[in-house]
Amino acid sequence: MIRVSMAGVYVDDVARAHAFYTDVLGFETRHHVVPTGGTPFVTVGAAGGHGDVELLLEPGEGPIAEPYHKALHEAGIPCIVLGVDDIRAEHERLVGLGVRFAHGPEKQGPVITAVLDDTVGNLVQLMQPSG
C-alpha cells in the first residue's frame, strides 16, 4: 500500500515557520537537522501523531520555489489544507494568539473552512466536515 509520508511547504524563513507551526498551530517537531553550512531539514507533524504525514518546511528560494510560492499567495490559494475537529474554537484560539485570517469560518458545501496567514508567505486553509 502506498501512503503519503511527507508533504513540503515553501516558506520565507524556516526558523520562523518552525516556531509558527509548533508554538502557534500546535504541531510537534519530528526532524530538525542543520548540516554544517547546509540547508536546514525541518519537519513537523500533529502532536502525538507519530506515523502520520509530516510537513517539510522548505526554504522558498530558487527559480522554482520563488515564483510558485509567490503565485499561490497572490492568487489567494492555500498551500495546504489542515483538518480540525472544531473550526470555530480553533479560529477563536488562533485569533487570540494574533493570527491573521483571510476569512473566518464559512460553510462551503460539505465543509466549513477558514484561511489563515502563516507569517512566512503562505495561506493555510483549515477545514472541518460540516455534517
Side-chain angles (χ1 to χ4, degrees):
M1 174 172 78
I2 297 175
R3 63 182 173 82
V4 176
S5 178
M6 187 179 298
V9 171
Y10 291 123
V11 298
D12 293 341
D13 180 303
V14 173
R16 270 193 13 242
H18 184 226
F20 181 83
Y21 281 79
T22 55
D23 298 343
V24 177
L25 294 184
F27 285 95
E28 64 185 17
T29 303
R30 299 289 174 77
H31 296 94
H32 190 270
V33 179
V34 183
T36 304
T39 303
F41 179 82
V42 178
T43 68
V44 297
H50 291 284
D52 68 348
V53 177
E54 293 181 32
L55 187 59
L56 172 61
L57 304 174
E58 297 192 69
E61 302 118 14
I64 295 172
E66 286 176 23
Y68 174 76
H69 187 213
K70 182 179 178 186
L72 278 180
H73 194 274
E74 287 177 356
I77 299 171
C79 68
I80 194 161
V81 177
L82 304 174
V84 296
D85 294 327
D86 184 340
I87 198 164
R88 292 182 191 342
E90 198 61 39
H91 175 261
E92 185 175 311
R93 181 185 78 81
L94 293 171
V95 166
L97 292 173
V99 174
R100 289 188 3 244
F101 277 79
H103 76 75
E106 56 186 48
K107 189 169 177 7
Q108 295 185 341
V111 296
I112 303 168
T113 66
V115 175
L116 63 90
D117 183 326
D118 76 353
T119 74
V120 286
N122 298 299
L123 297 175
V124 174
Q125 185 172 45
L126 303 179
M127 186 270 309
Q128 171 191 338
S130 62

